Amino acid sequence: MATDTALTTEKLILPSDQDSSGRELGDEEMLNLAAAIESGTLTSTKGEFVKSLEVRFAASLGVPHCYASSSGTAALHTALAAIDPEPGDEVVTTSITDMGALTPIIYQSAIPVFADVDPVTYNVTAETIEKVLSTRTKAIMVTHLFGNPCRMEPIMELARSRNIPVIEDCAQAFGAEINGRKVGTFGDIGCFSLQQGKHITTGEGGLCVTANADLGRRMYLFINKAWGYGDPKPDHYFLALNYRMNELTGAVAAAQLTKLDDFVERRTRLANLMTAGLQGLPGVRPPAVDDGFKHTYWKYCLQVDGSKLEGGLDALAGRLKERGVFCAPRYIQKPAFECQVLREQRTFGNSRFPFTLARPEAVDYSRERYPGTYAALASVLVLPLNEKYTELHIQQVVEVIRTAVDQIVKG
Ligand SMILES: *Cc1c(COP(=O)(O)O)cnc(C)c1O
């Protein structure tokens, strides 16, 4: 009896991806870091760590070109700058993503145009993208949200039929696959983030990959102030930034990369255990994964039917938090287009540029155009997961969820 009570009130202490409890950073990173410091060469233009990271990451995806950058945002900016839209051109993106996937579009003077998402997978689809394409669409940028791949085959078919390049935002989807093929290799460019909370981390950092040599060349240049290193007559060829990763970051990234497959395997195995443990629970549905798809669980999301629970999604989230499961109901809370920067078009001074060039329909954020987005955000409960979780942690979290649902389930 006493143990029963203890079991149902105990507060869990779970590994956090914000510190060493949930991040596997150790001797391998330290050794590389020491070597970088001893070498005295901390810029990637002269050092070896970033170069070897790029070569190895490209090889891991089976693509010829990879460039490291200072963040995932920088990687996405680099990708779009390589495609080089005209001011006022449109880039189709998703209403549920990180702001780091959206601000680069505006900085490149293009208009983000939001496709709705599937309310079950939370991802954009060929159908939702097609609805917002126009003659001004210059690129499509998809996010594989939470590590679950977008349905890339129909998306690529649509994009190829219109001759529109596709950027895959894989910041949350390291190792994710469709029928054995890794995300990041379906589109023209794939982008990844090494930010503190991602599958592998250097605190901040990014990677972008492509099989297209021309895009690769432009990506390399954009990261390097468009300076033609090694050319017979180098110059600053076009407008570009310094988005280089430094060697200290490259040293840590090189060590993290050797652990990536293991981390992906652990996350996937643990998430599958969680799904098995939650089978048959009323009002909550485990992540929906298509046949042949490999979801790599940056986060583990439950789809909650609030109408089945007393107090709905918030009541469930509150009970989980009380027990130490720091979940996030509604993920980013509101569709990306409701954020202040987009709502008010606060950009450069008071110019509103580039939105001054937008077709009215491209920036029509009426609620009825986004049924999937609102349904997704109203029902999603994001649970944390990282490489330091054990099977016991998963059993405990399952128990906490089962107990909470039992306590508030209706009828
Ligand atoms: C983290 C993230 C980014 C941005 O990466 P940073 O490294 O934080 O700049 C972009 N898109 C998605 C989907 C992300 O999760």
Side-chain angles (χ1 to χ4, degrees):
M1 197 61 201
T3 45
D4 271 351
T5 316
L7 244 184
T8 53
T9 56
E10 168 203 14
K11 189 158 181 168
L12 300 180
I13 297 177
L14 296 166
S16 161
D17 63 18
Q18 299 303 296
D19 58 48
S20 61
S21 68
R23 304 271 66 174
E24 225 167 85
L25 295 157
D27 293 345
E28 303 81 1
E29 287 78 6
M30 287 289 227
L31 279 170
N32 280 0
L33 209 41
I37 289 171
E38 280 159 16
S39 78
T41 305
L42 302 187
T43 170
S44 58
T45 57
K46 302 285 188 312
E48 288 305 321
F49 279 111
V50 171
K51 279 195 194 87
S52 79
L53 170 73
E54 290 170 340
V55 168
R56 283 171 42 219
F57 192 67
S60 76
L61 292 173
V63 291
H65 312 287
C66 170
Y67 300 100
S69 58
S70 52
S71 69
T73 305
L76 287 154
H77 192 181
T78 299
L80 191 60
I83 290 168
D84 200 20
E86 293 296 325
D89 277 349
E90 297 172 5
V91 177
V92 171
T93 179
T94 166
S95 51
I96 307 184
T97 191
D98 185 275
M99 195 43 73
L102 302 175
T103 43
I105 301 172
I106 304 168
Y107 270 100
Q108 281 310 109
S109 305
I111 312 295
V113 177
F114 294 93
D116 197 16
V117 302
D118 177 311
V120 175
T121 65
Y122 317 128
N123 282 331
V124 292
T125 65
E127 291 75 34
T128 66
I129 292 169
E130 186 161 22
K131 281 191 187 149
V132 297
L133 291 181
S134 83
T135 53
R136 303 214 60 183
T137 309
K138 187 66 185 235
I140 296 167
M141 216 186 241
V142 304
T143 295
H144 303 293
L145 203 68
F146 303 124
N148 198 13
C150 295
R151 294 174 187 138
M152 287 311 292
E153 277 147 13
I155 290 174
M156 290 314 300
E157 205 170 297
L158 170 67
R160 296 285 183 243
S161 77
R162 309 280 185 103
N163 213 7
I164 302 169
V166 173
I167 298 168
E168 295 179 74
D169 180 352
C170 311
Q172 305 183 356
F174 278 94
E177 295 176 2
I178 300 170
N179 297 321
R181 179 170 169 189
K182 287 217 162 60
V183 301
T185 68
F186 288 87
D188 299 84
I189 303 175
C191 297
F192 296 79
S193 165
L194 300 170
Q195 190 268 336
Q196 177 75 38
K198 303 296 161 73
H199 283 75
I200 52 173
T201 188
T202 57
E204 309 291 348
L207 294 158
C208 45
V209 299
T210 185
N212 179 313
D214 295 333
L215 288 175
R217 173 70 179 160
R218 278 193 64 90
M219 284 153 63
Y220 166 80
L221 286 169
F222 190 72
I223 289 170
N224 286 285
K225 297 177 262 187
W227 179 254
Y229 285 96
D231 287 0
K233 285 189 191 153
D235 199 347
H236 294 285
Y237 302 134
F238 56 83
L239 184 66
L241 294 157
N242 176 356
Y243 271 164
R244 285 192 289 265
M245 178 182 280
N246 67 65
E247 285 289 287
L248 299 173
T249 303
V252 176
Q256 284 276 290
L257 183 56
T258 63
K259 305 177 181 181
L260 176 59
D261 289 349
D262 177 43
F263 291 173
V264 164
E265 192 277 326
R266 282 195 231 172
R267 281 175 181 265
T268 311
R269 188 170 45 80
L270 293 171
N272 289 339
L273 273 180
M274 185 102 102
T275 296
L278 295 173
Q279 281 314 313
L281 203 54
V284 305
R285 179 180 162 160
V289 188
D290 285 8
D291 280 347
F293 280 42
K294 182 175 178 186
H295 185 329
T296 58
Y297 297 98
W298 176 59
K299 303 286 178 194
Y300 186 97
C301 295
L302 291 175
Q303 185 146 43
V304 178
D305 178 354
S307 72
K308 295 225 164 68
L309 306 174
E310 226 42 89
L313 176 64
D314 290 307
L316 179 61
R319 278 167 193 267
L320 265 52
K321 284 182 197 168
E322 270 170 27
R323 299 284 312 278
V325 179
F326 293 104
C327 53
R330 295 181 193 81
Y331 184 46
I332 56 170
Q333 306 305 314
K334 53 190 180 192
F337 51 73
E338 284 184 15
C339 289
Q340 189 174 348
V341 49
L342 289 157
R343 225 175 46 231
E344 298 180 357
Q345 303 182 338
R346 287 285 291 272
T347 55
F348 306 99
N350 290 317
S351 70
R352 293 178 46 247
F353 184 85
F355 292 103
T356 41
L357 306 174
R359 290 181 307 124
E361 211 194 322
V363 290
D364 175 0
Y365 305 145
S366 311
R367 201 179 170 96
E368 58 274 17
R369 298 182 78 202
Y370 297 96
T373 301
Y374 287 98
L377 291 173
S379 63
V380 68
L381 181 63
V382 183
L383 302 175
L385 187 63
N386 60 60
E387 67 268 16
K388 290 264 189 95
Y389 272 63
T390 62
E391 287 185 19
L392 180 61
H393 290 129
I394 298 296
Q395 284 164 16
Q396 290 170 330
V397 173
V398 164
E399 186 52 43
V400 166
I401 296 169
R402 286 197 158 273
T403 305
V405 170
D406 278 351
Q407 288 168 343
I408 59 175
V409 70
K410 287 181 183 170

